[in-house]
Amino acid sequence: MRREVAALMLLMGALLLAPAVMQRPDRSLADGAAVAASGEPIPLERLSVAPLVRRVAPAVVNIAVAYPSPYAQNPLLRDPYFRRFMGVPDAAMQPRLSAGSGVIIDATRGLVLTNNHVVGEGSAILVVLQDKRQFTAELVGTSPGTDLAVLRIPPERLVAAPLASSDTAEVGDYVVAIGNPFGLGQTVTAGIVSALGRGLTPQSGMGLIQTDAPINPGNSGGPLINMRGEVIGINTAILAPGGEGNIGIGFAVPASVVRQVLRQAKRAI
C-alpha cells in the first residue's frame, strides 16, 4: 500500500512539473531573440536600425559653404600696406567656412534639401556624398520662413531618400537622424517623436516635429527618418538654454512643408 501511495505522489509531482518544463523558454530563443508583449519572438536583426541606415545613408550629404570675409568687404583692407598698418592679418581676408547636412530627395534631377541657414549668403556651396564624391551645388530655391533650401547637383549615380507622402508621424514613433555633427562625418542618432505642432516662437505658424534624437551643430539640414526609411522632416534647430548644446529637444520641419517648398523649386527650374 505504501508503495502505491508513493508511486501516486511521484506521478502527481511529475504532472505538476510538466507545464513548467513545457513553458521554459528554448535556449536558442534566449540567445537569438527577444520576446514581444504578445509572446511572439522577435529576431535580433529587427531590433537594429542598421538595415534602415544602410538603405538611407547614401542619400545623406555633407554641405560645406564658403562665406566672404567681412574684412574683404572693406576696400581699405584690400590694400596689404593698410592691413599691416591696422594690424589685420592676411588670414582674416580668407573666406569663412561653415558645415551642415542635407539629403538627396530627387536623384534624377539631382535635388538636395537642406536648411536655408546652412547655405545663407554663401558664395560657394560644396556637396560631399557618402562615397566622397564632391559637387559644386547650385542654389535653386530658398524659403527663409520655413528655413529650407533646395540645391541642385549633377545627377550622376545618386541615391535619393523617399519623402513621406504626408505627416503621418505620431508621438512615440521611433525616428533616426543622420547628419554631420561637429564636422565628424556622417553620424546616426536615434530617439522618438516627442511632440508635434511645435513652434519656435509664439508667432510661428508652422508646426514642427519635436524629437529627442540628438541633433547637434552640423546636423542642420539632415533628414529625420521613420522606421520605413521615409524622410518625415528636415532637422532645423535645437533648444539649448544658455548655449548648453543638445539637451534632447530638437525640431524638424515636417514633410508636408518640405513637399511644398520642393514643388515650388521644381517649378522654378
Side-chain angles (χ1 to χ4, degrees):
M1 183 68 178
R2 291 180 180 177
R3 291 181 181 178
E4 293 175 356
V5 172
L8 181 60
M9 293 179 65
L10 287 174
L11 179 60
M12 292 178 63
L15 290 174
L16 291 172
L17 288 174
V21 172
M22 293 174 64
Q23 293 176 8
R24 187 177 57 193
D26 190 324
R27 183 69 180 173
S28 62
L29 282 181
D31 291 342
V35 177
S38 63
E40 295 295 323
I42 303 176
L44 285 183
E45 58 266 22
R46 285 179 53 191
L47 300 178
S48 172
V49 297
L52 181 151
V53 172
R54 282 195 299 268
R55 188 167 69 251
V56 178
V60 182
V61 302
N62 297 338
I63 297 177
V65 183
Y67 292 88
S69 166
Y71 292 100
Q73 310 305 311
N74 188 327
L76 293 176
L77 292 178
R78 295 173 189 169
D79 186 330
Y81 175 81
F82 194 82
R83 285 203 302 275
R84 287 195 296 271
F85 177 77
M86 295 296 294
V88 177
D90 291 342
M93 304 297 289
Q94 298 299 316
R96 296 180 296 113
L97 298 177
S98 67
S101 305
V103 58
I104 300 170
I105 210 71
D106 188 327
T108 59
R109 300 188 185 189
L111 298 183
V112 179
L113 277 169
T114 187
N115 284 146
N116 184 66
H117 78 259
V118 169
V119 296
E121 301 296 328
S123 58
I125 305 171
L126 186 69
V127 172
V128 184
L129 274 60
Q130 188 192 41
D131 61 11
K132 306 305 180 185
R133 285 185 293 154
Q134 301 180 4
F135 296 105
T136 299
E138 173 192 2
L139 181 62
V140 296
T142 62
S143 176
T146 62
D147 195 22
L148 292 175
V150 183
L151 310 176
R152 181 166 59 179
I153 60 176
E156 300 175 5
R157 307 190 318 275
L158 302 180
V159 176
L163 182 62
S165 58
S166 61
D167 292 342
T168 57
E170 296 184 14
V171 174
D173 283 352
Y174 285 106
V175 289
V176 172
I178 308 178
N180 180 29
F182 303 106
L184 294 172
Q186 196 172 93
T187 304
V188 177
T189 55
I192 63 169
V193 173
S194 304
L196 297 170
R198 294 298 200 208
L200 294 181
T201 65
Q203 296 77 26
S204 176
M206 178 179 57
L208 300 175
I209 300 171
Q210 180 183 329
T211 178
D212 67 350
I215 298 173
N216 292 294
N219 272 119
S220 293
L224 188 68
I225 299 166
N226 62 19
M227 292 297 101
R228 291 187 295 274
E230 299 169 331
V231 177
I232 64 169
I234 298 296
N235 300 321
T236 188
I238 61 172
L239 184 63
E244 297 175 0
N246 176 64
I247 59 171
I249 304 177
F251 302 95
V253 181
S256 59
V257 177
V258 172
R259 191 172 295 280
Q260 294 174 10
V261 173
L262 187 61
R263 189 181 302 118
Q264 294 172 1
K266 286 181 177 180
R267 284 201 295 262
I269 295 175

